[in-house]
Amino acid sequence: MLTVGEALGIGVMQRARVIAGTGGLDRIIRSITIMDTPDIKNWLRGGELLLSNIFVIRDSPEQQIRLVQDLAESGAAGLGIKLKRYVESVPGRMVELADALNLPLIEMPVDCAWVDVMVPLYTEIINRQAARLARAQEIRFTNAFLWDLLNGYVTSLEVLESRARYVGMPLASAYAVMVLDIDGFERFYLQVLQRDEGRAQELRERFVRIVRSASGHHLPRSLAMDLSDSVTVLAPVPSHTDPADLLRVAGLIKNEVVKASPGITVSVGISRLCQHPLHIPRAYREARQAVALGRELRGAGHTTGYHELGSYRVLLSQGDRSEVEAFCREITGPLEEYEKKHPGLVETLATFLRCNCDPGRCARQLFVHPNTVRYRLRKVEALCGVSLDNQEHRFNLQLALKLRRLVHPENHPPKEE
């Protein structure tokens, strides 16, 4: 797309002078046409830069005013007028109306031929269209690849590597998937956009464009796939990436979108890191679950990491043993490792929780001093990074201990019934 403002820097247009309508310099030029008849309105389709010496309406102030009105109403890009030969200056009423309607009114160089204006501008328009088509083709290939990869249709590492090279996706030590979704788009479409499909499409395109640009800046070498009012970003990252860093980056991307599109909110879901490209479908499911559940639990406009879902991950896993094992490792993994050399903490924690978090009652059941129980519980908190005063932390610990019996029945803790 070529704006009027950009056209003023091309060829003979550099010697042109804007005399009115500077507020419309961002209008898009789609074509250039020459006015040779007063009834030009019948031939306007929108986006024209109209070139004229206004000879055919030089003696009619009414037609001069009507020309500016017709151009503005039809969505024309602007009006370029060559003076001196038939008309000495642009009539004041045309200037005033063009300013009021933000229609660029441009005084063209008197010594230029129209072909010297049209050829360079059409060349630029065609070049930009060609670049857009090439970019659109690239995006289609990327979308197709990501759709297949994210949904698990690519099962061969050899095929994955070949297709990844074609779209410029680097193989990395780890990957993260991020899903950004416009909240309540249907309601926004009905109540705010008033079912205007043109405005809706413009909003979607701006959303996708900003996410692609911002994710490319904050997450180098990432790829993005758009699907209606949602964009999925696949980012190659170092294997030691801190989840907090991904949350921060997601917030920056989301803020850029919201800043450019007042009135909308965007929810974001982020997967855990996956260490193998063929595990990316799992990460995609995690990111989608995170954005959906984060919206339900926290409301619209929040960023949620899958690692923050806690026990909800298990509830959503539909019996996936690997997810259950991952949850247990995350919640009690350090405790399990410590237990191998220093047994007793797991039993103390399980008994404490079974005794409704009463240290005295726990001590009596274990036949130890209450201070011993308190010491062991502080050790549990330090190892697991939790607070036993936090109800959510206690619930996760209790659930992990129960699930541990299913994952490792040979080493299950005391029964809690």
Side-chain angles (χ1 to χ4, degrees):
M1 295 185 292
L2 179 68
T3 67
V4 175
E6 291 170 331
L8 290 170
I10 298 174
V12 297
M13 292 292 287
Q14 297 177 75
R15 296 191 285 119
R17 183 173 68 94
V18 180
I19 55 179
T22 55
L25 292 179
D26 58 349
R27 289 177 180 246
I28 304 299
I29 300 175
R30 293 185 172 85
S31 64
I32 303 102
T33 189
I34 298 172
M35 177 180 176
D36 57 4
T37 176
D39 61 344
I40 189 66
K41 181 180 181 180
N42 297 330
W43 314 108
L44 296 175
R45 298 294 180 267
E48 297 91 352
L49 174 62
L50 183 66
L51 304 177
S52 176
N53 55 23
I54 62 173
F55 172 76
V56 294
I57 57 172
R58 69 188 186 284
D59 297 323
S60 176
E62 292 76 15
Q63 287 183 312
Q64 295 166 3
I65 292 298
R66 172 52 58 188
L67 173 61
V68 175
Q69 291 174 335
D70 289 346
L71 289 171
E73 290 172 3
S74 68
L79 172 60
I81 300 178
K82 189 189 297 185
L83 301 174
K84 308 303 180 184
R85 185 173 181 184
Y86 300 108
V87 179
E88 189 63 28
S89 62
V90 179
R93 293 179 62 191
M94 290 184 72
V95 173
E96 293 173 3
L97 184 57
D99 257 334
L101 298 176
N102 286 325
L103 178 75
L105 196 56
I106 305 167
E107 181 181 346
M108 306 299 292
V110 68
D111 60 344
C112 74
W114 289 141
V115 69
D116 294 332
V117 177
M118 299 175 72
V119 170
L121 293 187
Y122 267 125
T123 299
E124 183 66 22
I125 290 172
I126 291 170
N127 287 342
R128 293 192 180 200
Q129 288 176 340
R132 289 186 66 197
L133 287 173
R135 177 58 178 157
Q137 183 80 336
E138 177 185 335
I139 290 172
R140 279 196 293 272
F141 280 129
T142 300
N143 272 0
F145 168 66
L146 287 180
W147 174 261
D148 289 346
L149 176 61
L150 294 169
N151 287 282
Y153 300 137
V154 180
T155 58
S156 162
L157 184 59
E158 183 179 359
V159 171
L160 189 155
E161 290 175 344
S162 177
R163 295 185 64 182
R165 281 195 299 271
Y166 190 78
V167 299
M169 171 185 152
L171 296 183
S173 58
Y175 303 86
V177 176
M178 185 182 301
V179 173
L180 299 96
D181 192 51
I182 299 177
D183 297 309
F185 188 79
E186 285 191 2
R187 176 182 51 80
F188 192 80
Y189 175 78
L190 294 172
Q191 297 179 6
V192 180
L193 300 181
Q194 298 293 306
R195 298 181 174 85
D196 186 331
E197 189 58 33
R199 293 173 63 197
Q201 186 61 27
E202 180 182 343
L203 174 61
R204 289 192 194 98
E205 290 178 355
R206 183 167 61 249
F207 170 54
V208 172
R209 185 172 61 251
I210 292 173
V211 172
R212 288 186 188 278
S213 174
S215 61
H217 174 71
H218 295 293
L219 297 168
R221 303 184 300 168
S222 61
L223 298 178
M225 176 187 76
D226 60 283
L227 184 64
S228 185
D229 49 335
S230 176
V231 177
T232 299
V233 177
L234 173 61
V237 295
S239 58
H240 59 272
T241 299
D242 189 334
D245 289 337
L246 292 176
L247 290 171
R248 178 184 58 80
V249 169
L252 295 174
I253 297 172
K254 180 179 67 174
N255 290 342
E256 289 191 38
V257 172
V258 173
K259 182 179 179 181
S261 305
I264 71 167
T265 59
V266 174
S267 291
V268 186
I270 306 172
S271 73
R272 293 173 298 180
L273 298 187
C274 67
Q275 309 297 328
H276 194 283
L278 289 179
H279 297 162
I280 287 172
R282 186 207 70 203
Y284 181 45
R285 291 193 296 272
E286 291 179 356
R288 290 170 58 195
Q289 288 180 348
V291 72
L293 194 56
R295 185 184 283 131
E296 291 295 325
L297 297 175
R298 300 174 171 179
H302 286 86
T303 299
T304 305
Y306 188 78
H307 67 283
E308 298 178 299
L309 295 182
S311 57
Y312 289 102
R313 289 159 36 194
V314 178
L315 300 176
L316 291 170
S317 68
Q318 299 178 334
D320 183 349
R321 185 181 181 88
S322 64
E323 185 55 60
V324 173
E325 291 177 343
F327 173 78
C328 291
R329 282 196 305 272
E330 182 177 314
I331 300 301
T332 61
L335 179 61
E336 300 278 359
E337 290 300 313
Y338 186 86
E339 184 78 6
K340 292 176 181 178
K341 295 183 178 180
H342 309 281
L345 291 188
V346 171
E347 182 185 10
T348 299
L349 174 62
T351 304
F352 173 73
L353 294 171
R354 191 170 65 247
C355 292
N356 294 320
C357 304
D358 183 338
R361 182 181 169 191
C362 176
R364 289 191 295 273
Q365 289 204 11
L366 293 174
F367 301 103
V368 299
H369 193 278
N371 286 343
T372 300
V373 170
R374 294 187 179 91
Y375 169 79
R376 291 177 179 175
L377 295 177
R378 286 197 296 272
K379 189 68 175 178
V380 169
E381 290 179 318
L383 287 169
C384 299
V386 298
S387 169
L388 289 170
D389 293 329
N390 184 297
Q391 188 274 337
E392 185 72 16
H393 291 177
R394 293 197 303 271
F395 176 80
N396 286 341
L397 287 167
Q398 192 160 28
L399 179 60
L401 290 178
K402 288 180 179 291
L403 293 173
R404 179 174 176 266
R405 296 175 59 192
L406 300 176
V407 176
H408 301 293
E410 70 280 4
N411 297 319
H412 63 78
K415 292 185 66 174
E416 300 180 38
E417 292 77 18

